[in-house]
């Protein structure tokens, strides 16, 4: 190498070395600095990326509990109970279309029914779950009247001794899947002779409980059965439950065919309290306000609704019960929360799981709502981010769950626990 070349290299080597050291220092600084405003660092230092973040937030903007579920006539089972300290119920069954004529001995002639034998009310039972060992009496009353018997107080007044038309004593844990309650032949004959109707009310005498599978949209529903006395073939005449209320639509007639009356039931939620279940059953509605940086600008990998449970001593407090999530689908234009809950979709159809609780437990409980939280990004702005909860076998069993609401002390309020990965854009600095 010539002297001139060596001289030139010695003059530029120093500045180049300084520039290299400066660049390395700048890169190192960029890799150690927490750049919240962008994703420049990962492009310079591929080994560094955004970290998962955990947060617990009071995101519930509205919560409330609404009672009276399921709607009249839509329960698959009815609870007939006589526990004066917690639950007392009755059941009403209407048979408005009595059969008053028959074909004697299977012939072609039609004859009027004047006398009857073997009059029974047949009521299917739900035999699942715990059943008592103490005998109880199922009493049947004639509750037909010309007064407005769609009013509960009118019907209650007809459960009196002079209207008792049938009774059966049973031991729940040894009873089969159907009650066969004998009814008065004299009353039945008078109803048929007058071409009238039979409307009966059931209640228990003695402490206990029965779950009647009395109305399942025509499958396994209660029936009235009797024989025409002059028919030697003894083929029972079967009349299904049904009613005809003047001027009422079909859904109202369906609702009043078989229904329950509650004398003593669940207490109202009270202050700082949410209720799921009970009898009549409550549902709980929660609306969330979650920061957009979480719902729209991150990937949510875990989401739990944290509720602090309060012990309940309502009936069946020691049993494990399931809670089903509901996903409200209405827009903010629907302000009637009862309507919102009626139109809500089953959460299990959107990937949400059921959760099981013991009513008498207490403390913080978690409900997995990850499937719901991941849908919030795609929801239109006029659809609230919300969740509702209903109990399993709603209206068919009386267990209830109680939780603290958003008005409770801060440590007890509902919260969302979310783990998320902030969204990272690949950009050059």
């Amino acid at each position: 190498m010539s002297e001139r070349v060596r001289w030139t290299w010695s003059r530029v080597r120093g500045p180049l070395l300084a520039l290299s050291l400066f660049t390395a220092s700048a890169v190192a600084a960029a890799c150690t600095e927490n750049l919240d405003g962008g994703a420049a660092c990962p492009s310079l230092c591929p080994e560094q990326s955004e970290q998962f973040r955990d947060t617990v937030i009071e995101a519930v903007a509205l919560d409330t509990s609404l009672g009276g579920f399921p709607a009249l006539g839509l329960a698959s089972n009815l609870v007939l109970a006589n526990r004066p300290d917690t639950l007392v119920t009755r059941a009403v069954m209407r048979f408005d279309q009595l059969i008053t004529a028959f074909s004697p001995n299977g012939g072609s002639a039609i004859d009027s029914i004047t006398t009857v034998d073997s009059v029974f009310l047949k009521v299917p039972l739900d035999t699942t779950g715990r059943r008592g060992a103490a005998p109880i009496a199922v009493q049947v009353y004639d509750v037909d009247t010309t007064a407005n018997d769609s009013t509960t107080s009118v019907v209650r007044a007809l459960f009196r001794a002079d209207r008792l038309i049938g009774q059966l004593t049973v031991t729940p844990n040894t009873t089969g899947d159907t009650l066969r309650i004998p009814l008065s032949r004299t009353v039945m004959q008078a109803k048929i002779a007058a071409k009238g109707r039979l409307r009966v009310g059931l209640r228990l005498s003695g402490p206990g409980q029965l779950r009647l599978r009395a109305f399942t949209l025509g499958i396994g529903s209660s029936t009235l059965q009797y024989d025409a006395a002059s028919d030697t073939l003894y083929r029972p005449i079967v009349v299904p439950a049904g009613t005809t209320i003047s001027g009422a639509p079909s859904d109202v007639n369906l609702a009043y065919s078989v229904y329950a009356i509650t004398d003593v039931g669940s207490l109202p939620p009270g202050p700082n309290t949410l209720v799921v279940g009970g009898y009549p059953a409550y549902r709980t509605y929660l609306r969330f306000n979650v920061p957009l940086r979480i719902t729209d600008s991150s990937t949510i990998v875990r989401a739990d609704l944290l509720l602090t449970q309060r012990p309940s001593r309502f009936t069946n407090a020691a049993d494990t019960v399931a809670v089903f999530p509901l996903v409200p689908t209405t827009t903010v234009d629907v302000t009637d929360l009862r309507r919102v809950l009626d139109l809500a979709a089953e959460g299990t159809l959107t990937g949400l799981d059921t959760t099981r609780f013991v009513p008498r437990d207490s403390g913080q409980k978690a409900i997995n709502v990850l499937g719901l939280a991941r849908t919030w990004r795609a929801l239109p702005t006029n659809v609230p981010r919300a969740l509702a909860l209903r109990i399993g076998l709603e209206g068919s069993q009386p267990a209830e769950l109680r939780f603290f609401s958003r008005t409770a002390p801060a440590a007890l309020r509902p919260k969302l626990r979310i783990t998320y990965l902030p969204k990272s854009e690949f950009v050059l600095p």
Side-chain angles (χ1 to χ4, degrees):
M1 183 180 297
S2 66
E3 291 292 330
R4 182 177 179 84
V5 173
R6 284 196 295 267
W7 178 82
T8 302
W9 173 244
S10 65
R11 293 191 61 182
V12 301
R13 183 175 59 180
L16 284 175
L17 181 59
L19 177 60
S20 298
L21 293 173
F22 173 78
T23 302
S25 300
V27 170
C31 293
T32 57
E33 185 178 359
N34 182 12
L35 299 177
D36 292 333
C41 189
S43 66
L44 293 174
C45 318
E47 73 279 0
Q48 180 171 337
S49 61
E50 290 285 359
Q51 300 297 310
F52 287 103
R53 301 182 184 179
D54 293 306
T55 185
V56 176
I57 53 177
E58 288 190 19
V60 178
L62 170 67
D63 61 2
T64 187
S65 296
L66 284 76
F69 289 94
L72 187 68
L74 294 184
S76 59
N77 294 351
L78 300 178
V79 177
L80 195 62
N82 186 27
R83 300 180 180 179
D85 59 332
T86 52
L87 183 65
V88 179
T89 65
R90 316 180 197 208
V92 175
M93 302 177 183
R94 294 179 172 183
F95 302 91
D96 286 1
Q97 300 293 328
L98 298 181
I99 297 175
T100 60
F102 75 115
S103 298
N105 301 317
S108 58
I110 302 297
D111 199 358
S112 296
I113 297 174
T114 55
T115 57
V116 294
D117 283 332
S118 305
V119 184
F120 290 95
L121 179 66
K122 294 187 68 175
V123 183
L125 292 180
D126 181 353
T127 58
T128 61
R130 294 188 306 167
R131 299 195 293 167
I136 53 177
V138 184
Q139 298 176 328
V140 182
Y141 296 82
D142 180 0
V143 295
D144 191 16
T145 178
T146 57
N148 180 14
D149 60 355
S150 296
T151 302
T152 301
S153 59
V154 172
V155 179
R156 280 198 184 104
L158 300 174
F159 283 78
R160 58 179 192 256
D162 62 313
R163 281 180 167 258
L164 182 67
I165 61 173
Q167 180 168 300
L168 178 67
T169 299
V170 299
T171 302
N173 64 0
T174 61
T175 301
D177 60 1
T178 303
L179 292 179
R180 197 165 180 260
I181 309 170
L183 302 184
S184 168
R185 292 173 50 197
T186 303
V187 170
M188 195 70 230
Q189 288 172 178
K191 299 284 186 181
I192 292 174
K195 298 188 183 307
R197 64 195 185 188
L198 180 67
R199 295 182 173 180
V200 297
L202 284 70
R203 75 177 179 188
L204 295 186
S205 176
Q209 178 177 304
L210 288 172
R211 286 198 344 203
L212 311 180
R213 189 160 44 85
F215 186 67
T216 53
L217 299 179
I219 301 174
S221 57
S222 300
T223 57
L224 174 67
Q225 296 187 9
Y226 50 92
D227 296 330
S230 57
D231 189 356
T232 59
L233 294 182
Y234 294 104
R235 293 176 303 175
I237 295 169
V238 179
V239 180
T243 191
T244 52
I245 302 174
S246 178
S250 58
D251 60 332
V252 173
N253 284 325
L254 187 66
Y256 279 96
S257 293
V258 178
Y259 64 96
I261 295 175
T262 304
D263 296 331
V264 178
S266 296
L267 295 175
N272 305 329
T273 305
L274 302 171
V275 177
V276 182
Y279 202 91
Y282 284 85
R283 292 182 182 179
T284 284
Y285 173 86
L286 304 104
R287 183 180 297 169
F288 304 104
N289 183 14
V290 184
L292 293 180
R293 62 182 173 82
I294 296 178
T295 59
D296 294 5
S297 301
S298 65
T299 300
I300 300 176
V301 297
R302 184 180 74 170
D304 295 318
L305 172 63
L306 303 179
L307 296 172
T308 303
Q309 185 177 351
R310 311 180 69 166
S312 170
R313 291 174 176 81
F314 198 61
T315 64
N316 299 347
D319 293 345
T320 300
V321 295
V323 169
F324 288 81
L326 299 173
V327 180
T329 58
T330 52
T331 67
V332 293
D333 296 327
V334 181
T335 57
D336 182 354
L337 289 183
R338 175 71 192 218
R339 183 68 172 162
V340 170
L341 293 178
D342 285 338
L343 296 175
E346 289 290 341
T348 52
L349 300 178
T350 60
L352 296 180
D353 297 327
T354 61
T355 308
R356 303 194 72 85
F357 297 89
V358 176
R360 67 182 181 186
D361 279 357
S362 61
Q364 191 176 81
K365 311 294 181 181
I367 298 176
N368 185 347
V369 294
L370 176 60
L372 176 66
R374 284 180 167 174
T375 67
W376 288 339
R377 178 187 299 181
L379 287 182
T381 56
N382 64 341
V383 176
R385 280 62 176 161
L387 175 72
L389 302 172
R390 71 168 178 84
I391 203 165
L393 298 175
E394 183 180 69
S396 301
Q397 57 93 9
E400 69 168 18
L401 300 165
R402 291 182 172 256
F403 303 97
F404 284 98
S405 70
R406 62 187 293 267
T407 59
L412 304 174
R413 295 172 189 166
K415 299 177 180 64
L416 280 178
R417 179 175 61 199
I418 298 177
T419 301
Y420 65 99
L421 182 66
K423 188 176 180 180
S424 179
E425 299 290 346
F426 185 83
V427 294
L428 293 174

